[in-house]
Short mmCIF file of all heavy atoms in Angstrom, two decimals:
data_model
loop_
_atom_site.label_atom_id
_atom_site.label_comp_id
_atom_site.label_asym_id
_atom_site.label_seq_id
_atom_site.Cartn_x
_atom_site.Cartn_y
_atom_site.Cartn_z
N GLU A 171 86.45 97.80 21.39
CA GLU A 171 85.07 98.31 21.51
C GLU A 171 84.96 99.70 20.91
O GLU A 171 83.98 100.05 20.25
CB GLU A 171 84.64 98.35 22.98
CG GLU A 171 84.27 97.01 23.57
CD GLU A 171 82.89 96.53 23.14
OE1 GLU A 171 82.16 97.30 22.48
OE2 GLU A 171 82.55 95.38 23.45
N ARG A 172 85.98 100.51 21.13
CA ARG A 172 85.94 101.90 20.65
C ARG A 172 86.35 102.02 19.19
O ARG A 172 85.64 102.62 18.38
CB ARG A 172 86.82 102.79 21.52
CG ARG A 172 86.28 102.96 22.94
CD ARG A 172 87.10 103.95 23.73
NE ARG A 172 86.97 105.31 23.24
CZ ARG A 172 87.67 106.34 23.70
NH1 ARG A 172 88.56 106.15 24.65
NH2 ARG A 172 87.50 107.54 23.21
N VAL A 173 87.51 101.45 18.82
CA VAL A 173 88.02 101.69 17.47
C VAL A 173 87.19 100.97 16.41
O VAL A 173 87.11 101.41 15.26
CB VAL A 173 89.51 101.32 17.33
CG1 VAL A 173 90.36 102.15 18.28
CG2 VAL A 173 89.75 99.83 17.50
N SER A 174 86.56 99.85 16.76
CA SER A 174 85.75 99.12 15.78
C SER A 174 84.52 99.91 15.36
O SER A 174 83.90 99.61 14.33
CB SER A 174 85.33 97.75 16.33
OG SER A 174 84.50 97.89 17.46
N LYS A 175 84.16 100.92 16.13
CA LYS A 175 83.00 101.76 15.80
C LYS A 175 83.39 103.01 15.03
O LYS A 175 82.53 103.81 14.66
CB LYS A 175 82.27 102.15 17.09
CG LYS A 175 81.67 100.95 17.82
CD LYS A 175 81.13 101.33 19.19
CE LYS A 175 80.63 100.10 19.94
NZ LYS A 175 80.23 100.41 21.34
N ILE A 176 84.69 103.18 14.80
CA ILE A 176 85.16 104.35 14.05
C ILE A 176 85.23 103.98 12.57
O ILE A 176 86.01 103.12 12.16
CB ILE A 176 86.56 104.79 14.56
CG1 ILE A 176 86.46 105.23 16.03
CG2 ILE A 176 87.12 105.91 13.69
CD1 ILE A 176 87.80 105.54 16.67
N GLN A 177 84.41 104.63 11.77
CA GLN A 177 84.28 104.26 10.37
C GLN A 177 85.60 104.40 9.60
O GLN A 177 85.90 103.62 8.70
CB GLN A 177 83.20 105.11 9.70
CG GLN A 177 82.88 104.68 8.28
CD GLN A 177 81.72 105.47 7.69
OE1 GLN A 177 81.12 106.32 8.37
NE2 GLN A 177 81.38 105.21 6.44
N SER A 178 86.39 105.38 9.95
CA SER A 178 87.63 105.63 9.21
C SER A 178 88.78 104.74 9.65
O SER A 178 89.83 104.72 9.01
CB SER A 178 88.04 107.10 9.37
OG SER A 178 88.16 107.44 10.74
N PHE A 179 88.60 103.98 10.72
CA PHE A 179 89.68 103.14 11.24
C PHE A 179 89.85 101.91 10.35
O PHE A 179 88.89 101.21 10.05
CB PHE A 179 89.39 102.71 12.67
CG PHE A 179 90.52 101.94 13.32
CD1 PHE A 179 91.62 102.60 13.83
CD2 PHE A 179 90.48 100.55 13.38
CE1 PHE A 179 92.66 101.90 14.41
CE2 PHE A 179 91.52 99.84 13.96
CZ PHE A 179 92.61 100.52 14.48
N CYS A 180 91.08 101.65 9.92
CA CYS A 180 91.36 100.55 8.99
C CYS A 180 91.59 99.24 9.75
O CYS A 180 92.40 99.20 10.68
CB CYS A 180 92.60 100.86 8.15
SG CYS A 180 92.39 102.28 7.05
N PRO A 181 90.91 98.16 9.33
CA PRO A 181 91.10 96.85 9.98
C PRO A 181 92.38 96.17 9.51
O PRO A 181 92.38 95.10 8.91
CB PRO A 181 89.85 96.08 9.54
CG PRO A 181 89.50 96.65 8.22
CD PRO A 181 89.88 98.11 8.28
N HIS A 182 93.50 96.83 9.79
CA HIS A 182 94.82 96.37 9.36
C HIS A 182 95.75 96.54 10.55
O HIS A 182 96.00 97.66 11.01
CB HIS A 182 95.29 97.22 8.16
CG HIS A 182 96.71 96.99 7.79
ND1 HIS A 182 97.50 97.99 7.26
CD2 HIS A 182 97.51 95.90 7.86
CE1 HIS A 182 98.71 97.52 7.02
NE2 HIS A 182 98.75 96.25 7.38
N PHE A 183 96.27 95.42 11.07
CA PHE A 183 97.06 95.44 12.29
C PHE A 183 98.41 94.76 12.06
O PHE A 183 98.45 93.57 11.72
CB PHE A 183 96.32 94.71 13.41
CG PHE A 183 94.97 95.30 13.74
CD1 PHE A 183 93.85 94.90 13.03
CD2 PHE A 183 94.84 96.24 14.74
CE1 PHE A 183 92.60 95.43 13.32
CE2 PHE A 183 93.59 96.78 15.04
CZ PHE A 183 92.48 96.38 14.33
N HIS A 184 99.49 95.52 12.23
CA HIS A 184 100.82 94.90 12.21
C HIS A 184 101.15 94.56 13.65
O HIS A 184 101.59 95.41 14.43
CB HIS A 184 101.87 95.83 11.60
CG HIS A 184 103.15 95.12 11.34
ND1 HIS A 184 103.34 94.29 10.26
CD2 HIS A 184 104.31 95.07 12.05
CE1 HIS A 184 104.56 93.78 10.29
NE2 HIS A 184 105.17 94.24 11.37
N LEU A 185 100.89 93.31 14.01
CA LEU A 185 100.92 92.86 15.39
C LEU A 185 102.25 92.16 15.67
O LEU A 185 102.51 91.07 15.15
CB LEU A 185 99.74 91.91 15.62
CG LEU A 185 99.33 91.59 17.05
CD1 LEU A 185 98.84 92.85 17.77
CD2 LEU A 185 98.22 90.53 17.04
N SER A 186 103.09 92.78 16.49
CA SER A 186 104.43 92.26 16.75
C SER A 186 104.39 90.83 17.28
O SER A 186 103.59 90.52 18.16
CB SER A 186 105.15 93.14 17.77
OG SER A 186 105.27 94.45 17.30
N LEU A 187 105.27 89.97 16.76
CA LEU A 187 105.36 88.60 17.25
C LEU A 187 106.82 88.18 17.45
O LEU A 187 107.24 87.90 18.55
CB LEU A 187 104.65 87.63 16.28
CG LEU A 187 104.67 86.14 16.67
CD1 LEU A 187 104.16 85.93 18.09
CD2 LEU A 187 103.87 85.31 15.68
N GLN A 188 107.60 88.10 16.39
CA GLN A 188 109.03 87.76 16.37
C GLN A 188 109.31 86.26 16.44
O GLN A 188 110.21 85.76 15.78
CB GLN A 188 109.82 88.48 17.48
CG GLN A 188 109.60 89.98 17.56
CD GLN A 188 109.86 90.72 16.26
OE1 GLN A 188 110.42 90.20 15.32
NE2 GLN A 188 109.40 91.96 16.19
N SER A 189 108.56 85.52 17.23
CA SER A 189 108.67 84.05 17.24
C SER A 189 107.34 83.49 17.72
O SER A 189 106.63 84.14 18.50
CB SER A 189 109.79 83.59 18.17
OG SER A 189 109.77 82.17 18.28
N ALA A 190 107.02 82.28 17.25
CA ALA A 190 105.79 81.62 17.70
C ALA A 190 106.11 80.45 18.61
O ALA A 190 105.33 79.50 18.73
CB ALA A 190 104.95 81.18 16.50
N CYS A 191 107.26 80.52 19.26
CA CYS A 191 107.70 79.49 20.22
C CYS A 191 107.97 80.17 21.56
O CYS A 191 108.75 81.13 21.62
CB CYS A 191 108.96 78.81 19.69
SG CYS A 191 109.80 77.74 20.88
N ASN A 192 107.34 79.70 22.62
CA ASN A 192 107.47 80.37 23.92
C ASN A 192 108.89 80.38 24.45
O ASN A 192 109.32 81.35 25.06
CB ASN A 192 106.54 79.69 24.94
CG ASN A 192 105.10 80.10 24.75
OD1 ASN A 192 104.80 81.15 24.18
ND2 ASN A 192 104.18 79.25 25.21
N LYS A 193 109.64 79.31 24.20
CA LYS A 193 111.03 79.26 24.66
C LYS A 193 111.83 80.40 24.03
O LYS A 193 112.60 81.09 24.71
CB LYS A 193 111.64 77.90 24.30
CG LYS A 193 113.13 77.80 24.61
CD LYS A 193 113.73 76.54 24.00
CE LYS A 193 115.24 76.71 23.82
NZ LYS A 193 115.81 75.62 23.00
N THR A 194 111.64 80.58 22.72
CA THR A 194 112.37 81.64 22.02
C THR A 194 111.88 83.02 22.44
O THR A 194 112.68 83.95 22.62
CB THR A 194 112.24 81.46 20.50
OG1 THR A 194 112.63 80.14 20.15
CG2 THR A 194 113.10 82.46 19.75
N LEU A 195 110.57 83.17 22.60
CA LEU A 195 110.02 84.46 23.06
C LEU A 195 110.62 84.87 24.40
O LEU A 195 110.96 86.03 24.62
CB LEU A 195 108.50 84.38 23.15
CG LEU A 195 107.72 84.38 21.85
CD1 LEU A 195 106.25 84.09 22.10
CD2 LEU A 195 107.87 85.72 21.11
N LYS A 196 110.76 83.90 25.31
CA LYS A 196 111.33 84.20 26.62
C LYS A 196 112.79 84.62 26.48
O LYS A 196 113.25 85.57 27.13
CB LYS A 196 111.22 82.98 27.52
CG LYS A 196 111.69 83.24 28.95
CD LYS A 196 111.45 82.03 29.84
CE LYS A 196 111.90 82.31 31.27
NZ LYS A 196 111.69 81.13 32.16
N ALA A 197 113.54 83.92 25.60
CA ALA A 197 114.95 84.28 25.39
C ALA A 197 115.09 85.66 24.76
O ALA A 197 116.08 86.36 24.98
CB ALA A 197 115.61 83.22 24.50
N MET A 198 114.09 86.06 23.98
CA MET A 198 114.08 87.37 23.35
C MET A 198 113.66 88.48 24.32
O MET A 198 113.76 89.66 24.00
CB MET A 198 113.11 87.39 22.17
CG MET A 198 113.55 86.58 20.97
SD MET A 198 112.24 86.60 19.69
CE MET A 198 113.15 85.99 18.27
N ASN A 199 113.13 88.10 25.49
CA ASN A 199 112.56 89.04 26.46
C ASN A 199 111.31 89.72 25.93
O ASN A 199 111.05 90.89 26.22
CB ASN A 199 113.59 90.10 26.91
CG ASN A 199 113.15 90.82 28.18
OD1 ASN A 199 112.49 90.23 29.04
ND2 ASN A 199 113.49 92.09 28.29
N ARG A 200 110.54 88.98 25.11
CA ARG A 200 109.23 89.47 24.70
C ARG A 200 108.26 89.26 25.85
O ARG A 200 108.38 88.28 26.61
CB ARG A 200 108.75 88.75 23.44
CG ARG A 200 109.67 88.88 22.25
CD ARG A 200 109.81 90.31 21.77
NE ARG A 200 108.60 90.79 21.12
CZ ARG A 200 108.42 92.05 20.71
NH1 ARG A 200 109.36 92.95 20.92
NH2 ARG A 200 107.30 92.40 20.11
N LYS A 201 107.27 90.13 25.98
CA LYS A 201 106.45 90.15 27.18
C LYS A 201 105.10 89.44 26.99
O LYS A 201 104.09 89.83 27.60
CB LYS A 201 106.20 91.60 27.60
CG LYS A 201 107.46 92.43 27.80
CD LYS A 201 108.32 91.92 28.94
CE LYS A 201 109.37 92.92 29.37
NZ LYS A 201 110.36 93.24 28.36
N TYR A 202 105.05 88.40 26.18
CA TYR A 202 103.81 87.66 25.95
C TYR A 202 104.16 86.24 25.54
O TYR A 202 105.32 85.94 25.20
CB TYR A 202 102.97 88.33 24.85
CG TYR A 202 103.76 88.64 23.60
CD1 TYR A 202 104.05 87.67 22.65
CD2 TYR A 202 104.29 89.92 23.40
CE1 TYR A 202 104.81 87.95 21.54
CE2 TYR A 202 105.06 90.21 22.28
CZ TYR A 202 105.32 89.23 21.36
OH TYR A 202 106.09 89.50 20.26
N THR A 203 103.17 85.37 25.57
CA THR A 203 103.33 84.00 25.10
C THR A 203 102.59 83.84 23.78
O THR A 203 101.77 84.69 23.40
CB THR A 203 102.75 83.00 26.12
OG1 THR A 203 101.34 83.23 26.22
CG2 THR A 203 103.41 83.17 27.49
N ILE A 204 102.82 82.73 23.10
CA ILE A 204 102.11 82.48 21.85
C ILE A 204 100.62 82.27 22.12
O ILE A 204 99.78 82.62 21.28
CB ILE A 204 102.72 81.26 21.09
CG1 ILE A 204 102.07 81.11 19.71
CG2 ILE A 204 102.61 79.99 21.89
CD1 ILE A 204 102.18 82.32 18.80
N GLU A 205 100.29 81.76 23.30
CA GLU A 205 98.87 81.59 23.65
C GLU A 205 98.19 82.95 23.79
O GLU A 205 97.07 83.15 23.31
CB GLU A 205 98.73 80.78 24.96
CG GLU A 205 99.10 79.32 24.84
CD GLU A 205 100.61 79.07 24.85
OE1 GLU A 205 101.37 79.99 25.25
OE2 GLU A 205 101.02 77.96 24.45
N GLU A 206 98.87 83.90 24.43
CA GLU A 206 98.32 85.25 24.55
C GLU A 206 98.20 85.92 23.19
O GLU A 206 97.21 86.61 22.91
CB GLU A 206 99.19 86.09 25.49
CG GLU A 206 99.12 85.65 26.94
CD GLU A 206 100.17 86.33 27.81
OE1 GLU A 206 101.28 86.60 27.32
OE2 GLU A 206 99.87 86.59 28.99
N TYR A 207 99.20 85.72 22.36
CA TYR A 207 99.16 86.30 21.00
C TYR A 207 97.98 85.73 20.22
O TYR A 207 97.25 86.46 19.54
CB TYR A 207 100.47 86.01 20.29
CG TYR A 207 100.61 86.71 18.95
CD1 TYR A 207 101.26 87.93 18.85
CD2 TYR A 207 100.09 86.15 17.78
CE1 TYR A 207 101.40 88.59 17.63
CE2 TYR A 207 100.21 86.79 16.56
CZ TYR A 207 100.87 88.00 16.49
OH TYR A 207 100.99 88.65 15.28
N THR A 208 97.78 84.42 20.33
CA THR A 208 96.66 83.77 19.62
C THR A 208 95.33 84.32 20.09
O THR A 208 94.42 84.56 19.29
CB THR A 208 96.73 82.25 19.83
OG1 THR A 208 97.98 81.76 19.33
CG2 THR A 208 95.59 81.54 19.10
N GLU A 209 95.20 84.54 21.39
CA GLU A 209 93.95 85.12 21.94
C GLU A 209 93.72 86.52 21.37
O GLU A 209 92.59 86.90 21.07
CB GLU A 209 94.03 85.18 23.47
CG GLU A 209 93.93 83.83 24.14
CD GLU A 209 94.15 83.91 25.65
OE1 GLU A 209 94.25 85.06 26.17
OE2 GLU A 209 94.23 82.85 26.29
N THR A 210 94.80 87.28 21.20
CA THR A 210 94.68 88.63 20.63
C THR A 210 94.20 88.55 19.18
O THR A 210 93.33 89.33 18.77
CB THR A 210 96.03 89.36 20.70
OG1 THR A 210 96.44 89.45 22.06
CG2 THR A 210 95.93 90.76 20.11
N VAL A 211 94.76 87.63 18.40
CA VAL A 211 94.33 87.46 17.01
C VAL A 211 92.86 87.08 16.95
O VAL A 211 92.09 87.62 16.13
CB VAL A 211 95.21 86.40 16.31
CG1 VAL A 211 94.62 86.01 14.95
CG2 VAL A 211 96.63 86.92 16.14
N GLU A 212 92.44 86.17 17.82
CA GLU A 212 91.04 85.76 17.85
C GLU A 212 90.13 86.92 18.23
O GLU A 212 89.02 87.06 17.69
CB GLU A 212 90.86 84.60 18.84
CG GLU A 212 91.51 83.30 18.36
CD GLU A 212 91.53 82.22 19.43
OE1 GLU A 212 91.18 82.53 20.60
OE2 GLU A 212 91.91 81.08 19.11
N LEU A 213 90.60 87.76 19.13
CA LEU A 213 89.82 88.93 19.54
C LEU A 213 89.66 89.91 18.37
O LEU A 213 88.56 90.44 18.14
CB LEU A 213 90.52 89.62 20.71
CG LEU A 213 89.72 90.61 21.55
CD1 LEU A 213 88.50 89.94 22.18
CD2 LEU A 213 90.61 91.23 22.63
N LEU A 214 90.72 90.13 17.63
CA LEU A 214 90.65 91.01 16.45
C LEU A 214 89.63 90.48 15.45
O LEU A 214 88.85 91.24 14.86
CB LEU A 214 92.02 91.12 15.80
CG LEU A 214 93.06 91.97 16.52
CD1 LEU A 214 94.44 91.79 15.90
CD2 LEU A 214 92.67 93.45 16.48
N ARG A 215 89.65 89.18 15.24
CA ARG A 215 88.73 88.57 14.27
C ARG A 215 87.29 88.56 14.77
O ARG A 215 86.35 88.43 13.97
CB ARG A 215 89.21 87.16 13.94
CG ARG A 215 90.48 87.18 13.08
CD ARG A 215 91.12 85.82 12.92
NE ARG A 215 92.25 85.91 11.99
CZ ARG A 215 93.22 84.99 11.88
NH1 ARG A 215 93.19 83.91 12.68
NH2 ARG A 215 94.20 85.15 11.02
N LYS A 216 87.12 88.71 16.06
CA LYS A 216 85.77 88.81 16.62
C LYS A 216 85.17 90.19 16.35
O LYS A 216 83.98 90.32 16.04
CB LYS A 216 85.82 88.55 18.13
CG LYS A 216 84.48 88.72 18.83
CD LYS A 216 84.61 88.48 20.33
CE LYS A 216 83.29 88.75 21.05
NZ LYS A 216 83.42 88.55 22.52
N TYR A 217 86.00 91.22 16.42
CA TYR A 217 85.51 92.59 16.28
C TYR A 217 85.53 93.09 14.83
O TYR A 217 84.83 94.06 14.51
CB TYR A 217 86.32 93.54 17.16
CG TYR A 217 85.87 93.52 18.60
CD1 TYR A 217 86.41 92.61 19.50
CD2 TYR A 217 84.90 94.41 19.06
CE1 TYR A 217 86.00 92.58 20.83
CE2 TYR A 217 84.48 94.40 20.38
CZ TYR A 217 85.03 93.48 21.26
OH TYR A 217 84.62 93.45 22.56
#
């Protein structure tokens, strides 16, 4: 809500993932699921 209104802010996001498989993400000790990551991508594309 805030950064999308900043004219100088670049719509370029290096969004950490490492794997798109929940089993592997859990083994890596990443703190999200692929479903949560997908929701984040959709949110970025909304704003």
